[in-house]
Amino acid sequence: MGLSYHDLSVLRFIQNRNRVPLAKVAIQFNRNETSIRRNIDKINFHADRPLVQIDLGWCVSLLSYDELVDFIRHISPEDYDSSSEERILVMVTAIFFNSYVNASALYDQWGLSLTTKKQDTAALRSYLEAHGLKLITLKKKGLGIAGDKLRLRFLVINILHPLLEYTADNRINARRANTPLEKQTFDLAEPHIQTAAAEAVRQLNDFLASKNLSLNYPSKKFLLLFICLMTS
């Protein structure tokens, strides 16, 4: 069984705190302690050495942040169990930047069954409806999205926002610790973002300087994405 987004979230949580009670980890993820122990066993099974140990009811991280990043970046698609939600986010991003997605080709690439594709398509339809958007079928192309374009842009901004980093030299790069499907999502967006990034940075910095304003890091990322996607 491969690693999942939940497994990696547990690993990130423990690594960020270095040492945390097992009970607190269970509460954080709304699981029981036995379930968290299984997550840790699976994480350690997929690593060259133990990454987390449990010592007298405490979860202890045995890796640095750089080692965490390296571990996540080297997870192969074959060793990763994606969730329906992750796959939905890939499809929404693909549709936004390419106008449609060939879901059959995508699920063949992921090695997933037709049944899984049908279930995910139904979940995607519900997900879009909850955001005031509609899933449509485009003849000889695949799936598309109909509805308010601004709603769709904000939806894609929320998808991409955690997946990127804004660097000190005014560049927008992929977050180092993206999972395989997060990397696929960002890769779909990156050519479009990078095309608009320099001008977006200039516009935002000029505006902030003219108004003598400053923004925190998440807000600056959000506005840069908004400017980039308004040109897409």
Side-chain angles (χ1 to χ4, degrees):
M1 182 181 293
L3 291 167
S4 68
Y5 184 85
H6 172 68
D7 296 323
L8 297 181
S9 296
V10 170
L11 179 59
R12 286 184 178 126
F13 183 80
I14 296 170
Q15 192 282 325
N16 188 51
R17 288 153 183 79
N18 192 44
R19 192 170 186 270
V20 59
L22 175 61
K24 184 173 182 178
V25 182
I27 292 170
Q28 172 69 23
F29 292 97
N30 196 28
R31 299 287 199 277
N32 58 44
E33 294 183 16
T34 300
S35 176
I36 298 300
R37 286 179 183 273
R38 284 198 295 266
N39 292 136
I40 291 171
D41 286 343
K42 196 195 320 181
I43 290 164
N44 289 336
F45 175 80
H46 283 274
D48 294 333
R49 61 178 178 83
L51 303 183
V52 177
Q53 71 177 24
I54 300 176
D55 182 20
L56 298 177
W58 287 77
C59 299
V60 181
S61 171
L62 303 178
L63 74 171
S64 66
Y65 178 72
D66 285 342
E67 289 170 331
L68 169 69
V69 169
D70 188 63
F71 174 70
I72 294 175
R73 290 178 67 179
H74 285 87
I75 297 172
S76 69
E78 294 76 22
D79 287 332
Y80 189 72
D81 286 341
S82 62
S83 67
S84 176
E85 180 180 0
E86 291 175 281
R87 297 189 293 269
I88 284 172
L89 300 186
V90 172
M91 288 194 283
V92 171
T93 306
I95 293 170
F96 178 79
F97 288 106
N98 301 323
S99 300
Y100 70 94
V101 64
N102 184 331
S104 296
L106 196 56
Y107 278 75
D108 283 344
Q109 175 190 335
W110 287 332
L112 297 174
S113 68
L114 180 62
T115 300
T116 300
K117 172 179 168 288
K118 288 180 178 178
Q119 291 170 343
D120 284 357
T121 301
L124 172 59
R125 182 174 289 106
S126 298
Y127 174 82
L128 292 173
E129 288 174 354
H131 289 86
L133 300 165
K134 183 178 180 181
L135 185 67
I136 59 174
T137 301
L138 302 173
K139 190 175 180 181
K140 296 183 179 180
K141 290 186 177 180
L143 300 176
I145 297 175
D148 184 85
K149 300 299 183 185
L150 188 59
R151 280 178 181 263
L152 179 56
R153 279 187 169 86
F154 277 117
L155 182 57
V156 174
I157 288 170
N158 286 332
I159 291 171
L160 295 175
H161 189 268
L163 310 185
L164 62 87
E165 297 174 341
Y166 178 58
T167 67
D169 58 347
N170 292 326
R171 291 187 58 82
I172 298 174
N173 294 330
R175 184 181 62 174
R176 294 171 61 205
N178 283 342
T179 68
L181 259 71
E182 287 174 336
K183 181 180 184 302
Q184 185 173 8
T185 302
F186 184 84
D187 287 349
L188 287 165
E190 185 174 26
H192 307 270
I193 290 175
Q194 296 302 349
T195 298
E199 178 61 16
V201 169
R202 186 194 66 77
Q203 288 184 23
L204 181 58
N205 286 340
D206 286 352
F207 172 77
L208 294 175
S210 70
K211 302 296 183 181
N212 195 28
L213 297 173
S214 61
L215 293 174
N216 61 28
Y217 180 68
S219 298
K220 196 163 190 177
K221 280 203 305 179
F222 182 90
L223 285 176
L224 284 172
L225 269 175
F226 179 77
I227 297 170
C228 289
L229 266 59
M230 285 302 293
T231 64
S232 298

